[in-house]
Amino acid sequence: KQWYQRRVAITAGDRRMSFDDVKDERMLVMVDKLCVWMGGILGETLNRENLIITIRNGGPLCKLADYIQESVDDFKANNEDNDDLPSSAPQGCDFTCGVRTMEARQNVTKFLDWARKLRVPESSIFLPDDLLKLKGKMNVVNTLLAVARRAKDCGMAADIDAPPKIANAFIGLEEKFGKKFDHTSKAFGSQKSELKTVTTTLMSGSAWKIVQQKIDAILQLPGKPSYEIFRV
């Protein structure tokens, strides 16, 4: 764990290593999904603040490739015409080297060469200095997202592009608009509960009144396709 702790100790306020300056909410959601996916594979708790710090010397990227390679091997064994896929994960990586060492550059280069063999498009491959010198963290993210998609193509679980769960969406509405959607978020979640009586009065023609009516219709008509309920 020393390589991880040493990188977390680096100044967390460096905006080049966090995603505080990213304003695109969609990309931030993708970063969060990437952190969950990579963290689950590597056995680490990754988030927007420590992702770049953690992977900066390239060692964790080589570990990630090693895990993905297992799925690639299985995929090649069960599918023809895939001999061009990588036959092995990056070899001879240094997992404890400093971020400014030649070993770190070799780690990153080996991972990128492996990603190319995985058929990640060249246009999605980041430059070594995007990570090593923090010149383009979003380029790094885009490469890792592309790697995740290719891993999924080879049979590995990677729901990077899956839409957010409907329960989470309703919880977000509850936080933003108050308790109006409290019963809805719980009804769609894992814990079942009775619908609460809503006393807040909305204008009959308002958009939120229509939304409430549609949602209540879904809850009261189990099994009815949503496209029928929302058909105008």
Side-chain angles (χ1 to χ4, degrees):
K1 298 289 185 179
Q2 291 181 351
W3 60 270
Y4 176 77
Q5 294 172 348
R6 183 163 59 249
R7 279 152 188 76
V8 173
I10 299 175
T11 305
D14 192 334
R15 291 170 66 86
R16 297 178 302 169
M17 288 189 284
S18 74
F19 293 86
D20 293 340
D21 58 337
V22 178
K23 305 303 181 183
D24 190 332
E25 289 295 332
R26 293 170 298 180
M27 280 308 304
L28 290 176
V29 169
M30 297 307 292
V31 171
D32 291 339
K33 290 183 177 182
L34 180 64
C35 289
V36 171
W37 178 69
M38 288 183 59
I41 295 174
L42 299 175
E44 302 288 352
T45 301
L46 299 178
N47 52 50
R48 300 178 191 177
E49 298 302 320
N50 66 16
L51 174 63
I52 299 300
I53 297 172
T54 300
I55 67 175
R56 193 177 171 193
N57 80 338
L61 297 181
C62 293
K63 285 186 176 181
L64 177 68
D66 191 55
Y67 284 109
I68 296 175
Q69 186 64 44
E70 296 179 10
S71 295
V72 174
D73 292 340
D74 292 340
F75 181 79
K76 291 175 65 176
N78 295 292
N79 296 273
E80 299 179 353
D81 301 327
N82 290 288
D83 293 337
D84 58 327
L85 289 174
S87 57
S88 65
Q91 301 295 306
C93 299
D94 189 331
F95 302 107
T96 60
C97 63
V99 297
R100 294 181 176 86
T101 64
M102 183 58 66
E103 288 76 13
R105 184 168 293 275
Q106 291 173 347
N107 286 345
V108 174
T109 300
K110 289 177 181 178
F111 171 78
L112 295 178
D113 288 343
W114 174 85
R116 290 184 177 94
K117 294 178 181 178
L118 192 64
R119 300 177 187 170
V120 172
E122 189 64 33
S123 59
S124 297
I125 298 289
F126 69 84
L127 299 175
D129 284 347
D130 286 337
L131 178 60
L132 295 169
K133 296 186 178 180
L134 305 176
K135 290 186 175 182
K137 60 177 176 281
M138 292 310 301
N139 294 336
V140 176
V141 168
N142 287 330
T143 297
L144 294 175
L145 290 172
V147 166
R149 294 181 183 109
R150 289 297 299 130
K152 184 177 181 180
D153 291 341
C154 292
M156 191 175 194
D159 292 331
I160 292 295
D161 296 311
K165 293 182 178 180
I166 193 169
N168 295 337
F170 282 121
I171 290 174
L173 287 174
E174 174 192 345
E175 294 174 350
K176 187 170 183 179
F177 297 103
K179 296 299 181 179
K180 180 65 182 175
F181 293 92
D182 179 66
H183 68 283
T184 309
S185 63
K186 290 183 179 179
F188 277 90
S190 58
Q191 181 180 1
K192 296 182 179 179
S193 60
E194 296 181 359
L195 299 182
K196 295 182 178 179
T197 302
V198 179
T199 56
T200 303
T201 302
L202 293 175
M203 295 179 63
S204 59
S206 70
W208 285 111
K209 181 66 175 180
I210 296 173
V211 170
Q212 178 205 349
Q213 292 171 347
K214 298 296 185 182
I215 291 174
D216 288 342
I218 293 175
L219 297 179
Q220 296 170 17
L221 296 173
K224 189 175 180 62
S226 59
Y227 66 83
E228 292 185 11
I229 294 174
F230 281 92
R231 181 180 296 163
V232 178

